[in-house]
Amino acid sequence: MADTDTKIQSRLKAGIEKSHHNDFNGAIQDCHKIIDIRSDIPEVHYILGCGYFELGQYENAINAFKEAIKYKPDYPEAHINCGVIYFEKRDFQRAVE
């Protein structure tokens, strides 16, 4: 189990680093590899959502942010980013929810 956690942390760190260097596809791939191992880490879904957001894949981003919120209901950044996307889509009712 410790070995798996180390791999997950290493992959997450790599995904964040890729995201910081605008390699959003690479970050998304890393997140999916983590989710294949363990799907209940809200930060992974959040990074995934950010990658999709940056690529303009708003529905995928919303789904990822909602998964982050599922595992961490008080995740303010995920809530805010969902609101931003809904606002961009001019879905003002959902943007304020």
Side-chain angles (χ1 to χ4, degrees):
M1 183 70 161
D3 187 44
T4 300
D5 288 343
T6 301
K7 287 180 183 176
I8 288 171
Q9 288 302 318
S10 177
R11 178 77 64 183
L12 180 56
K13 186 176 178 180
I16 291 169
E17 189 67 24
K18 288 175 184 174
S19 184
H20 286 192
H21 288 92
N22 297 327
D23 179 7
F24 303 114
N25 286 313
I28 289 168
Q29 289 174 356
D30 284 338
C31 289
H32 280 293
K33 288 177 182 175
I34 295 169
I35 291 168
D36 287 343
I37 298 167
R38 190 167 155 214
S39 64
D40 65 339
I41 305 170
E43 292 78 14
V44 175
H45 293 284
Y46 177 76
I47 297 300
L48 179 64
C50 289
Y52 282 132
F53 178 82
E54 292 295 335
L55 294 175
Q57 297 179 24
Y58 297 132
E59 289 305 315
N60 287 335
I62 287 171
N63 291 335
F65 292 136
K66 286 183 176 181
E67 280 294 300
I69 293 165
K70 179 172 103 176
Y71 295 112
K72 185 177 177 183
D74 62 341
Y75 203 148
E77 295 88 352
H79 284 283
I80 289 167
N81 286 348
C82 276
V84 167
I85 293 169
Y86 286 127
F87 184 82
E88 296 257 334
K89 294 175 70 173
R90 308 195 64 73
D91 188 342
F92 301 119
Q93 180 62 37
R94 284 190 183 172
V96 296
E97 290 177 353

mmCIF file of all heavy atoms in Angstrom, residues 50-87:
data_model
loop_
_atom_site.group_PDB
_atom_site.id
_atom_site.type_symbol
_atom_site.label_atom_id
_atom_site.label_comp_id
_atom_site.label_asym_id
_atom_site.label_seq_id
_atom_site.Cartn_x
_atom_site.Cartn_y
_atom_site.Cartn_z
ATOM 1 N N CYS A 50 -8.912 21.320 -13.983
ATOM 2 C CA CYS A 50 -8.147 22.490 -14.423
ATOM 3 C C CYS A 50 -7.546 22.261 -15.805
ATOM 4 O O CYS A 50 -7.552 23.160 -16.647
ATOM 5 C CB CYS A 50 -7.054 22.814 -13.408
ATOM 6 S SG CYS A 50 -7.678 23.473 -11.853
ATOM 7 N N GLY A 51 -7.039 21.062 -16.039
ATOM 8 C CA GLY A 51 -6.492 20.741 -17.353
ATOM 9 C C GLY A 51 -7.544 20.832 -18.442
ATOM 10 O O GLY A 51 -7.326 21.451 -19.489
ATOM 11 N N TYR A 52 -8.695 20.232 -18.173
ATOM 12 C CA TYR A 52 -9.783 20.299 -19.150
ATOM 13 C C TYR A 52 -10.235 21.744 -19.367
ATOM 14 O O TYR A 52 -10.510 22.157 -20.496
ATOM 15 C CB TYR A 52 -10.967 19.451 -18.701
ATOM 16 C CG TYR A 52 -10.795 17.972 -18.933
ATOM 17 C CD1 TYR A 52 -11.072 17.061 -17.914
ATOM 18 C CD2 TYR A 52 -10.387 17.470 -20.159
ATOM 19 C CE1 TYR A 52 -10.939 15.694 -18.126
ATOM 20 C CE2 TYR A 52 -10.244 16.113 -20.383
ATOM 21 C CZ TYR A 52 -10.531 15.224 -19.364
ATOM 22 O OH TYR A 52 -10.394 13.877 -19.582
ATOM 23 N N PHE A 53 -10.317 22.504 -18.281
ATOM 24 C CA PHE A 53 -10.721 23.907 -18.391
ATOM 25 C C PHE A 53 -9.773 24.668 -19.314
ATOM 26 O O PHE A 53 -10.214 25.401 -20.208
ATOM 27 C CB PHE A 53 -10.759 24.549 -17.002
ATOM 28 C CG PHE A 53 -11.123 25.997 -17.035
ATOM 29 C CD1 PHE A 53 -12.451 26.375 -17.121
ATOM 30 C CD2 PHE A 53 -10.153 26.985 -16.990
ATOM 31 C CE1 PHE A 53 -12.803 27.725 -17.159
ATOM 32 C CE2 PHE A 53 -10.482 28.326 -17.037
ATOM 33 C CZ PHE A 53 -11.815 28.694 -17.119
ATOM 34 N N GLU A 54 -8.483 24.496 -19.096
ATOM 35 C CA GLU A 54 -7.485 25.205 -19.909
ATOM 36 C C GLU A 54 -7.556 24.811 -21.381
ATOM 37 O O GLU A 54 -7.212 25.614 -22.252
ATOM 38 C CB GLU A 54 -6.078 24.967 -19.368
ATOM 39 C CG GLU A 54 -5.824 25.601 -18.024
ATOM 40 C CD GLU A 54 -5.876 27.123 -18.051
ATOM 41 O OE1 GLU A 54 -5.643 27.731 -19.114
ATOM 42 O OE2 GLU A 54 -6.152 27.709 -16.988
ATOM 43 N N LEU A 55 -8.008 23.600 -21.669
ATOM 44 C CA LEU A 55 -8.149 23.146 -23.055
ATOM 45 C C LEU A 55 -9.519 23.493 -23.647
ATOM 46 O O LEU A 55 -9.805 23.154 -24.788
ATOM 47 C CB LEU A 55 -7.914 21.630 -23.137
ATOM 48 C CG LEU A 55 -6.495 21.173 -22.804
ATOM 49 C CD1 LEU A 55 -6.420 19.642 -22.806
ATOM 50 C CD2 LEU A 55 -5.493 21.757 -23.785
ATOM 51 N N GLY A 56 -10.361 24.152 -22.845
ATOM 52 C CA GLY A 56 -11.686 24.542 -23.318
ATOM 53 C C GLY A 56 -12.688 23.408 -23.338
ATOM 54 O O GLY A 56 -13.750 23.534 -23.935
ATOM 55 N N GLN A 57 -12.375 22.313 -22.671
ATOM 56 C CA GLN A 57 -13.280 21.165 -22.586
ATOM 57 C C GLN A 57 -14.129 21.314 -21.322
ATOM 58 O O GLN A 57 -13.930 20.627 -20.321
ATOM 59 C CB GLN A 57 -12.485 19.860 -22.585
ATOM 60 C CG GLN A 57 -11.697 19.645 -23.855
ATOM 61 C CD GLN A 57 -10.904 18.360 -23.840
ATOM 62 O OE1 GLN A 57 -11.229 17.417 -23.126
ATOM 63 N NE2 GLN A 57 -9.857 18.309 -24.643
ATOM 64 N N TYR A 58 -15.087 22.236 -21.395
ATOM 65 C CA TYR A 58 -15.814 22.662 -20.206
ATOM 66 C C TYR A 58 -16.683 21.578 -19.573
ATOM 67 O O TYR A 58 -16.758 21.500 -18.346
ATOM 68 C CB TYR A 58 -16.636 23.913 -20.508
ATOM 69 C CG TYR A 58 -15.781 25.092 -20.894
ATOM 70 C CD1 TYR A 58 -16.069 25.852 -22.008
ATOM 71 C CD2 TYR A 58 -14.653 25.429 -20.147
ATOM 72 C CE1 TYR A 58 -15.277 26.934 -22.362
ATOM 73 C CE2 TYR A 58 -13.848 26.506 -20.496
ATOM 74 C CZ TYR A 58 -14.170 27.249 -21.600
ATOM 75 O OH TYR A 58 -13.374 28.306 -21.953
ATOM 76 N N GLU A 59 -17.312 20.755 -20.370
ATOM 77 C CA GLU A 59 -18.141 19.693 -19.780
ATOM 78 C C GLU A 59 -17.274 18.694 -19.013
ATOM 79 O O GLU A 59 -17.636 18.262 -17.914
ATOM 80 C CB GLU A 59 -18.974 18.980 -20.855
ATOM 81 C CG GLU A 59 -20.101 19.828 -21.407
ATOM 82 C CD GLU A 59 -21.047 20.364 -20.348
ATOM 83 O OE1 GLU A 59 -21.454 19.593 -19.440
ATOM 84 O OE2 GLU A 59 -21.367 21.564 -20.407
ATOM 85 N N ASN A 60 -16.137 18.325 -19.600
ATOM 86 C CA ASN A 60 -15.219 17.430 -18.892
ATOM 87 C C ASN A 60 -14.701 18.096 -17.618
ATOM 88 O O ASN A 60 -14.543 17.438 -16.585
ATOM 89 C CB ASN A 60 -14.042 17.030 -19.785
ATOM 90 C CG ASN A 60 -14.434 16.058 -20.864
ATOM 91 O OD1 ASN A 60 -15.397 15.315 -20.742
ATOM 92 N ND2 ASN A 60 -13.690 16.063 -21.945
ATOM 93 N N ALA A 61 -14.431 19.386 -17.694
ATOM 94 C CA ALA A 61 -13.951 20.119 -16.521
ATOM 95 C C ALA A 61 -15.001 20.120 -15.418
ATOM 96 O O ALA A 61 -14.685 19.841 -14.257
ATOM 97 C CB ALA A 61 -13.585 21.545 -16.912
ATOM 98 N N ILE A 62 -16.243 20.416 -15.781
ATOM 99 C CA ILE A 62 -17.322 20.417 -14.787
ATOM 100 C C ILE A 62 -17.443 19.044 -14.141
ATOM 101 O O ILE A 62 -17.560 18.937 -12.911
ATOM 102 C CB ILE A 62 -18.659 20.852 -15.423
ATOM 103 C CG1 ILE A 62 -18.639 22.351 -15.710
ATOM 104 C CG2 ILE A 62 -19.842 20.497 -14.522
ATOM 105 C CD1 ILE A 62 -19.816 22.843 -16.524
ATOM 106 N N ASN A 63 -17.412 17.994 -14.946
ATOM 107 C CA ASN A 63 -17.517 16.639 -14.390
ATOM 108 C C ASN A 63 -16.380 16.345 -13.409
ATOM 109 O O ASN A 63 -16.594 15.755 -12.352
ATOM 110 C CB ASN A 63 -17.541 15.600 -15.504
ATOM 111 C CG ASN A 63 -18.816 15.649 -16.318
ATOM 112 O OD1 ASN A 63 -19.857 16.103 -15.835
ATOM 113 N ND2 ASN A 63 -18.748 15.220 -17.557
ATOM 114 N N ALA A 64 -15.174 16.768 -13.755
ATOM 115 C CA ALA A 64 -14.029 16.537 -12.869
ATOM 116 C C ALA A 64 -14.170 17.354 -11.585
ATOM 117 O O ALA A 64 -13.920 16.829 -10.490
ATOM 118 C CB ALA A 64 -12.735 16.887 -13.595
ATOM 119 N N PHE A 65 -14.571 18.608 -11.697
ATOM 120 C CA PHE A 65 -14.747 19.428 -10.496
ATOM 121 C C PHE A 65 -15.847 18.855 -9.601
ATOM 122 O O PHE A 65 -15.722 18.859 -8.374
ATOM 123 C CB PHE A 65 -15.055 20.884 -10.851
ATOM 124 C CG PHE A 65 -13.909 21.617 -11.492
ATOM 125 C CD1 PHE A 65 -14.112 22.435 -12.586
ATOM 126 C CD2 PHE A 65 -12.613 21.492 -11.004
ATOM 127 C CE1 PHE A 65 -13.062 23.128 -13.171
ATOM 128 C CE2 PHE A 65 -11.549 22.166 -11.590
ATOM 129 C CZ PHE A 65 -11.782 22.988 -12.677
ATOM 130 N N LYS A 66 -16.913 18.348 -10.206
ATOM 131 C CA LYS A 66 -17.986 17.733 -9.411
ATOM 132 C C LYS A 66 -17.501 16.474 -8.697
ATOM 133 O O LYS A 66 -17.921 16.191 -7.575
ATOM 134 C CB LYS A 66 -19.197 17.426 -10.295
ATOM 135 C CG LYS A 66 -19.979 18.671 -10.661
ATOM 136 C CD LYS A 66 -21.210 18.326 -11.470
ATOM 137 C CE LYS A 66 -22.028 19.571 -11.754
ATOM 138 N NZ LYS A 66 -23.245 19.269 -12.506
ATOM 139 N N GLU A 67 -16.615 15.726 -9.343
ATOM 140 C CA GLU A 67 -16.027 14.560 -8.674
ATOM 141 C C GLU A 67 -15.171 15.009 -7.490
ATOM 142 O O GLU A 67 -15.197 14.379 -6.433
ATOM 143 C CB GLU A 67 -15.179 13.736 -9.652
ATOM 144 C CG GLU A 67 -15.970 12.834 -10.549
ATOM 145 C CD GLU A 67 -16.684 11.729 -9.791
ATOM 146 O OE1 GLU A 67 -16.015 10.920 -9.122
ATOM 147 O OE2 GLU A 67 -17.918 11.669 -9.877
ATOM 148 N N ALA A 68 -14.411 16.079 -7.664
ATOM 149 C CA ALA A 68 -13.616 16.606 -6.550
ATOM 150 C C ALA A 68 -14.525 16.990 -5.385
ATOM 151 O O ALA A 68 -14.239 16.671 -4.229
ATOM 152 C CB ALA A 68 -12.799 17.812 -7.015
ATOM 153 N N ILE A 69 -15.633 17.640 -5.704
ATOM 154 C CA ILE A 69 -16.595 18.065 -4.682
ATOM 155 C C ILE A 69 -17.260 16.858 -4.022
ATOM 156 O O ILE A 69 -17.533 16.877 -2.813
ATOM 157 C CB ILE A 69 -17.638 19.023 -5.303
ATOM 158 C CG1 ILE A 69 -16.954 20.340 -5.707
ATOM 159 C CG2 ILE A 69 -18.798 19.267 -4.357
ATOM 160 C CD1 ILE A 69 -17.771 21.218 -6.642
ATOM 161 N N LYS A 70 -17.485 15.806 -4.780
ATOM 162 C CA LYS A 70 -18.079 14.583 -4.220
ATOM 163 C C LYS A 70 -17.216 14.038 -3.078
ATOM 164 O O LYS A 70 -17.718 13.611 -2.054
ATOM 165 C CB LYS A 70 -18.243 13.535 -5.317
ATOM 166 C CG LYS A 70 -18.819 12.215 -4.843
ATOM 167 C CD LYS A 70 -19.129 11.315 -6.025
ATOM 168 C CE LYS A 70 -18.065 10.251 -6.158
ATOM 169 N NZ LYS A 70 -18.369 9.286 -7.235
ATOM 170 N N TYR A 71 -15.901 14.069 -3.282
ATOM 171 C CA TYR A 71 -14.989 13.528 -2.277
ATOM 172 C C TYR A 71 -14.578 14.556 -1.226
ATOM 173 O O TYR A 71 -14.082 14.189 -0.160
ATOM 174 C CB TYR A 71 -13.747 12.937 -2.954
ATOM 175 C CG TYR A 71 -14.095 11.736 -3.802
ATOM 176 C CD1 TYR A 71 -13.993 11.789 -5.184
ATOM 177 C CD2 TYR A 71 -14.556 10.563 -3.224
ATOM 178 C CE1 TYR A 71 -14.329 10.697 -5.967
ATOM 179 C CE2 TYR A 71 -14.897 9.468 -3.997
ATOM 180 C CZ TYR A 71 -14.782 9.540 -5.358
ATOM 181 O OH TYR A 71 -15.125 8.454 -6.123
ATOM 182 N N LYS A 72 -14.773 15.839 -1.535
ATOM 183 C CA LYS A 72 -14.447 16.905 -0.582
ATOM 184 C C LYS A 72 -15.470 18.031 -0.776
ATOM 185 O O LYS A 72 -15.229 18.992 -1.503
ATOM 186 C CB LYS A 72 -13.023 17.406 -0.834
ATOM 187 C CG LYS A 72 -12.535 18.431 0.161
ATOM 188 C CD LYS A 72 -11.087 18.809 -0.142
ATOM 189 C CE LYS A 72 -10.599 19.892 0.785
ATOM 190 N NZ LYS A 72 -9.223 20.311 0.436
ATOM 191 N N PRO A 73 -16.639 17.879 -0.132
ATOM 192 C CA PRO A 73 -17.737 18.825 -0.368
ATOM 193 C C PRO A 73 -17.392 20.293 -0.105
ATOM 194 O O PRO A 73 -17.998 21.179 -0.694
ATOM 195 C CB PRO A 73 -18.829 18.341 0.589
ATOM 196 C CG PRO A 73 -18.523 16.895 0.804
ATOM 197 C CD PRO A 73 -17.024 16.789 0.762
ATOM 198 N N ASP A 74 -16.423 20.542 0.746
ATOM 199 C CA ASP A 74 -16.064 21.926 1.056
ATOM 200 C C ASP A 74 -14.814 22.379 0.294
ATOM 201 O O ASP A 74 -13.987 23.103 0.814
ATOM 202 C CB ASP A 74 -15.852 22.092 2.558
ATOM 203 C CG ASP A 74 -14.712 21.233 3.091
ATOM 204 O OD1 ASP A 74 -14.328 20.260 2.411
ATOM 205 O OD2 ASP A 74 -14.206 21.522 4.192
ATOM 206 N N TYR A 75 -14.705 21.957 -0.960
ATOM 207 C CA TYR A 75 -13.544 22.282 -1.802
ATOM 208 C C TYR A 75 -13.853 23.593 -2.525
ATOM 209 O O TYR A 75 -14.440 23.601 -3.606
ATOM 210 C CB TYR A 75 -13.319 21.151 -2.792
ATOM 211 C CG TYR A 75 -11.913 21.025 -3.345
ATOM 212 C CD1 TYR A 75 -11.409 19.782 -3.679
ATOM 213 C CD2 TYR A 75 -11.106 22.128 -3.564
ATOM 214 C CE1 TYR A 75 -10.129 19.629 -4.190
ATOM 215 C CE2 TYR A 75 -9.835 21.996 -4.075
ATOM 216 C CZ TYR A 75 -9.343 20.748 -4.387
ATOM 217 O OH TYR A 75 -8.085 20.617 -4.893
ATOM 218 N N PRO A 76 -13.445 24.735 -1.960
ATOM 219 C CA PRO A 76 -13.870 26.023 -2.536
ATOM 220 C C PRO A 76 -13.402 26.252 -3.967
ATOM 221 O O PRO A 76 -14.170 26.776 -4.790
ATOM 222 C CB PRO A 76 -13.269 27.069 -1.587
ATOM 223 C CG PRO A 76 -12.226 26.369 -0.808
ATOM 224 C CD PRO A 76 -12.579 24.904 -0.799
ATOM 225 N N GLU A 77 -12.173 25.868 -4.290
ATOM 226 C CA GLU A 77 -11.664 26.098 -5.643
ATOM 227 C C GLU A 77 -12.477 25.338 -6.692
ATOM 228 O O GLU A 77 -12.740 25.858 -7.776
ATOM 229 C CB GLU A 77 -10.186 25.690 -5.746
ATOM 230 C CG GLU A 77 -9.251 26.517 -4.892
ATOM 231 C CD GLU A 77 -9.076 25.979 -3.473
ATOM 232 O OE1 GLU A 77 -9.797 25.041 -3.077
ATOM 233 O OE2 GLU A 77 -8.211 26.504 -2.758
ATOM 234 N N ALA A 78 -12.887 24.124 -6.356
ATOM 235 C CA ALA A 78 -13.699 23.336 -7.296
ATOM 236 C C ALA A 78 -15.069 23.982 -7.489
ATOM 237 O O ALA A 78 -15.570 24.067 -8.620
ATOM 238 C CB ALA A 78 -13.826 21.896 -6.807
ATOM 239 N N HIS A 79 -15.664 24.457 -6.405
ATOM 240 C CA HIS A 79 -16.961 25.142 -6.509
ATOM 241 C C HIS A 79 -16.829 26.412 -7.352
ATOM 242 O O HIS A 79 -17.664 26.677 -8.221
ATOM 243 C CB HIS A 79 -17.489 25.508 -5.114
ATOM 244 C CG HIS A 79 -18.058 24.366 -4.355
ATOM 245 N ND1 HIS A 79 -19.302 23.828 -4.610
ATOM 246 C CD2 HIS A 79 -17.544 23.635 -3.332
ATOM 247 C CE1 HIS A 79 -19.538 22.835 -3.785
ATOM 248 N NE2 HIS A 79 -18.485 22.682 -2.994
ATOM 249 N N ILE A 80 -15.783 27.177 -7.085
ATOM 250 C CA ILE A 80 -15.579 28.435 -7.813
ATOM 251 C C ILE A 80 -15.383 28.165 -9.304
ATOM 252 O O ILE A 80 -15.980 28.840 -10.152
ATOM 253 C CB ILE A 80 -14.389 29.219 -7.230
ATOM 254 C CG1 ILE A 80 -14.760 29.766 -5.854
ATOM 255 C CG2 ILE A 80 -13.944 30.341 -8.170
ATOM 256 C CD1 ILE A 80 -13.590 30.294 -5.053
ATOM 257 N N ASN A 81 -14.560 27.183 -9.628
ATOM 258 C CA ASN A 81 -14.304 26.898 -11.043
ATOM 259 C C ASN A 81 -15.552 26.403 -11.764
ATOM 260 O O ASN A 81 -15.759 26.736 -12.932
ATOM 261 C CB ASN A 81 -13.151 25.914 -11.190
ATOM 262 C CG ASN A 81 -11.813 26.568 -10.915
ATOM 263 O OD1 ASN A 81 -11.710 27.787 -10.839
ATOM 264 N ND2 ASN A 81 -10.783 25.773 -10.764
ATOM 265 N N CYS A 82 -16.380 25.626 -11.085
ATOM 266 C CA CYS A 82 -17.670 25.240 -11.699
ATOM 267 C C CYS A 82 -18.495 26.492 -11.985
ATOM 268 O O CYS A 82 -19.066 26.629 -13.070
ATOM 269 C CB CYS A 82 -18.454 24.310 -10.773
ATOM 270 S SG CYS A 82 -18.012 22.577 -10.884
ATOM 271 N N GLY A 83 -18.545 27.387 -11.009
ATOM 272 C CA GLY A 83 -19.295 28.631 -11.196
ATOM 273 C C GLY A 83 -18.773 29.461 -12.349
ATOM 274 O O GLY A 83 -19.545 30.015 -13.130
ATOM 275 N N VAL A 84 -17.460 29.531 -12.482
ATOM 276 C CA VAL A 84 -16.850 30.285 -13.580
ATOM 277 C C VAL A 84 -17.255 29.688 -14.926
ATOM 278 O O VAL A 84 -17.617 30.417 -15.862
ATOM 279 C CB VAL A 84 -15.309 30.320 -13.436
ATOM 280 C CG1 VAL A 84 -14.646 30.820 -14.710
ATOM 281 C CG2 VAL A 84 -14.905 31.168 -12.243
ATOM 282 N N ILE A 85 -17.219 28.372 -15.017
ATOM 283 C CA ILE A 85 -17.589 27.720 -16.282
ATOM 284 C C ILE A 85 -19.053 27.970 -16.604
ATOM 285 O O ILE A 85 -19.404 28.332 -17.734
ATOM 286 C CB ILE A 85 -17.294 26.210 -16.245
ATOM 287 C CG1 ILE A 85 -15.789 25.980 -16.176
ATOM 288 C CG2 ILE A 85 -17.891 25.509 -17.469
ATOM 289 C CD1 ILE A 85 -15.397 24.546 -15.875
ATOM 290 N N TYR A 86 -19.923 27.801 -15.604
ATOM 291 C CA TYR A 86 -21.342 28.053 -15.853
ATOM 292 C C TYR A 86 -21.573 29.509 -16.241
ATOM 293 O O TYR A 86 -22.397 29.804 -17.119
ATOM 294 C CB TYR A 86 -22.191 27.682 -14.637
ATOM 295 C CG TYR A 86 -22.351 26.190 -14.448
ATOM 296 C CD1 TYR A 86 -22.056 25.584 -13.235
ATOM 297 C CD2 TYR A 86 -22.799 25.380 -15.490
ATOM 298 C CE1 TYR A 86 -22.205 24.223 -13.056
ATOM 299 C CE2 TYR A 86 -22.953 24.015 -15.323
ATOM 300 C CZ TYR A 86 -22.657 23.442 -14.107
ATOM 301 O OH TYR A 86 -22.809 22.087 -13.937
ATOM 302 N N PHE A 87 -20.844 30.422 -15.625
ATOM 303 C CA PHE A 87 -20.964 31.832 -15.978
ATOM 304 C C PHE A 87 -20.534 32.050 -17.428
ATOM 305 O O PHE A 87 -21.206 32.746 -18.189
ATOM 306 C CB PHE A 87 -20.118 32.691 -15.024
ATOM 307 C CG PHE A 87 -20.272 34.160 -15.261
ATOM 308 C CD1 PHE A 87 -21.354 34.841 -14.717
ATOM 309 C CD2 PHE A 87 -19.359 34.861 -16.027
ATOM 310 C CE1 PHE A 87 -21.511 36.200 -14.935
ATOM 311 C CE2 PHE A 87 -19.508 36.216 -16.254
ATOM 312 C CZ PHE A 87 -20.580 36.894 -15.702
#
